[in-house]
Coordinates of all heavy atoms in Angstrom, one line a residue:
M22 N 60.4 67.2 18.8 CA 61.4 67.2 19.9 C 60.7 66.9 21.2 O 59.7 67.5 21.6 CB 62.0 68.6 19.9 CG 63.1 68.8 21.0 SD 63.9 70.4 21.0 CE 65.0 70.3 22.4
V25 N 61.8 68.4 27.6 CA 63.1 68.2 28.4 C 62.8 67.4 29.6 O 63.5 66.5 30.0 CB 63.7 69.6 28.7 CG1 64.9 69.4 29.6 CG2 64.1 70.3 27.4
I28 N 62.8 63.6 29.1 CA 64.0 62.9 28.8 C 65.1 63.1 29.8 O 66.1 62.3 29.8 CB 64.5 63.2 27.4 CG1 64.9 64.7 27.3 CG2 63.4 62.9 26.3 CD1 65.6 65.1 26.0
Y29 N 65.0 64.2 30.6 CA 66.1 64.5 31.4 C 66.5 63.4 32.4 O 65.6 62.9 33.2 CB 65.9 65.8 32.2 CG 67.1 66.3 32.9 CD1 68.0 67.2 32.2 CD2 67.4 66.0 34.2 CE1 69.1 67.7 32.8 CE2 68.6 66.5 34.8 CZ 69.4 67.3 34.1 OH 70.6 67.8 34.7
N261 N 73.6 75.0 14.8 CA 72.5 75.0 15.7 C 71.8 73.6 15.8 O 71.4 73.2 16.9 CB 71.4 76.0 15.2 CG 70.4 76.4 16.3 OD1 70.7 76.6 17.4 ND2 69.1 76.4 15.9
N262 N 71.8 72.9 14.7 CA 71.2 71.5 14.7 C 72.1 70.6 15.6 O 71.6 69.8 16.3 CB 71.1 71.0 13.3 CG 69.9 71.7 12.6 OD1 69.0 72.2 13.2 ND2 70.0 71.7 11.3
F263 N 73.4 70.8 15.4 CA 74.4 70.0 16.3 C 74.1 70.4 17.7 O 74.1 69.4 18.6 CB 75.8 70.4 15.9 CG 76.8 70.1 16.9 CD1 77.3 68.8 17.1 CD2 77.3 71.1 17.8 CE1 78.2 68.5 18.1 CE2 78.3 70.8 18.8 CZ 78.7 69.5 18.9
M264 N 74.0 71.6 18.1 CA 73.8 72.0 19.5 C 72.5 71.4 20.0 O 72.4 71.0 21.2 CB 73.8 73.5 19.6 CG 75.1 74.2 19.4 SD 75.0 76.0 19.6 CE 76.7 76.5 19.7
K265 N 71.5 71.4 19.2 CA 70.2 70.8 19.6 C 70.3 69.4 20.0 O 69.9 68.9 21.1 CB 69.1 71.0 18.6 CG 68.6 72.4 18.4 CD 67.6 72.4 17.2 CE 67.1 73.8 16.9 NZ 66.1 73.8 15.8
E266 N 71.0 68.6 19.1 CA 71.2 67.2 19.4 C 72.1 67.0 20.6 O 71.8 66.1 21.4 CB 71.8 66.5 18.2 CG 71.8 64.9 18.4 CD 72.3 64.2 17.2 OE1 72.7 64.8 16.2 OE2 72.4 62.9 17.4
L267 N 73.1 67.8 20.7 CA 74.0 67.7 21.9 C 73.2 68.0 23.2 O 73.4 67.2 24.1 CB 75.1 68.7 21.7 CG 76.2 68.8 22.9 CD1 76.9 67.5 23.0 CD2 77.2 69.9 22.6
D268 N 72.4 69.0 23.2 CA 71.6 69.3 24.4 C 70.7 68.1 24.7 O 70.7 67.6 25.9 CB 70.7 70.5 24.1 CG 71.4 71.8 24.4 OD1 72.4 71.8 25.0 OD2 70.8 72.8 23.9
Q269 N 70.1 67.5 23.7 CA 69.2 66.4 24.0 C 69.9 65.2 24.6 O 69.5 64.6 25.6 CB 68.5 65.9 22.7 CG 67.5 66.9 22.1 CD 66.1 66.4 22.1 OE1 65.8 65.4 22.8 NE2 65.2 67.0 21.4
E270 N 71.1 64.8 24.0 CA 71.9 63.7 24.5 C 72.4 64.0 25.9 O 72.4 63.0 26.7 CB 73.0 63.4 23.5 CG 72.5 62.9 22.1 CD 71.6 61.7 22.3 OE1 71.9 60.7 23.0 OE2 70.5 61.7 21.7
L271 N 72.8 65.2 26.1 CA 73.4 65.5 27.4 C 72.3 65.5 28.5 O 72.5 65.0 29.6 CB 74.1 66.9 27.4 CG 75.4 66.9 26.6 CD1 76.0 68.3 26.6 CD2 76.4 65.9 27.1
W272 N 71.1 66.0 28.1 CA 70.0 66.0 29.1 C 69.6 64.6 29.4 O 69.3 64.2 30.6 CB 68.8 66.8 28.5 CG 69.0 68.2 28.5 CD1 69.9 69.0 29.3 CD2 68.4 69.2 27.6 NE1 69.9 70.3 28.9 CE2 69.0 70.5 27.9 CE3 67.5 69.1 26.6 CZ2 68.6 71.6 27.2 CZ3 67.1 70.2 25.9 CH2 67.6 71.5 26.2
K273 N 69.6 63.7 28.4 CA 69.3 62.3 28.7 C 70.3 61.7 29.7 O 70.0 60.8 30.5 CB 69.4 61.4 27.4 CG 68.2 61.7 26.5 CD 68.4 60.9 25.2 CE 67.4 61.2 24.1 NZ 67.6 60.5 22.9
L274 N 71.6 62.2 29.6 CA 72.6 61.7 30.5 C 72.7 62.5 31.8 O 73.7 62.3 32.6 CB 74.0 61.8 29.8 CG 74.1 60.8 28.6 CD1 75.3 61.2 27.7 CD2 74.3 59.4 29.1
G275 N 71.7 63.3 32.1 CA 71.7 64.1 33.3 C 72.6 65.2 33.4 O 72.9 65.7 34.5
V276 N 73.2 65.6 32.3 CA 74.1 66.7 32.3 C 73.3 68.0 32.2 O 72.6 68.2 31.2 CB 75.2 66.6 31.1 CG1 76.1 67.8 31.1 CG2 75.9 65.3 31.2
P277 N 73.4 68.9 33.1 CA 72.5 70.1 33.1 C 73.1 71.2 32.2 O 73.4 72.3 32.6 CB 72.6 70.6 34.6 CG 73.9 70.2 35.1 CD 74.2 68.8 34.4
A278 N 73.1 70.9 30.9 CA 73.6 71.8 29.9 C 72.6 73.0 29.9 O 71.4 72.9 29.7 CB 73.6 71.2 28.5
K279 N 73.2 74.2 30.1 CA 72.3 75.4 30.3 C 72.5 76.4 29.2 O 71.5 76.9 28.6 CB 72.7 76.0 31.7 CG 72.0 77.3 32.0 CD 70.5 77.1 32.3 CE 69.9 78.4 32.9 NZ 68.4 78.2 33.1
T280 N 73.7 76.8 28.9 CA 73.9 78.0 28.0 C 74.8 77.6 26.8 O 75.7 76.8 27.0 CB 74.6 79.1 28.8 OG1 73.9 79.5 29.9 CG2 74.8 80.3 27.9
K281 N 74.4 78.0 25.7 CA 75.2 77.7 24.5 C 75.2 79.0 23.6 O 74.2 79.7 23.5 CB 74.6 76.6 23.7 CG 73.1 76.8 23.3 CD 72.5 75.5 22.6 CE 71.1 75.7 22.2 NZ 70.5 74.5 21.6
L292 N 79.7 75.8 25.6 CA 78.6 75.2 26.3 C 78.9 75.4 27.8 O 80.0 75.0 28.2 CB 78.4 73.8 25.9 CG 77.2 73.1 26.6 CD1 76.6 72.0 25.6 CD2 77.6 72.4 27.9
A293 N 77.9 75.9 28.6 CA 78.1 76.0 30.0 C 77.0 75.3 30.7 O 75.8 75.5 30.4 CB 78.1 77.5 30.4
L316 N 79.1 63.5 18.1 CA 77.9 64.0 17.5 C 78.2 65.0 16.3 O 77.4 65.1 15.4 CB 77.0 64.8 18.5 CG 76.4 63.9 19.6 CD1 75.6 64.8 20.5 CD2 75.5 62.8 19.0

Side-chain angles (χ1 to χ4, degrees):
M22 180 175 179
V25 177
I28 65 171
Y29 191 85
N261 195 43
N262 289 334
F263 160 80
M264 288 179 168
K265 287 179 185 178
E266 184 177 2
L267 178 62
D268 278 342
Q269 291 244 16
E270 293 306 309
L271 292 179
W272 290 335
K273 290 177 186 177
L274 292 165
V276 179
K279 176 70 172 177
T280 304
K281 57 185 179 183
L292 183 146
L316 295 178

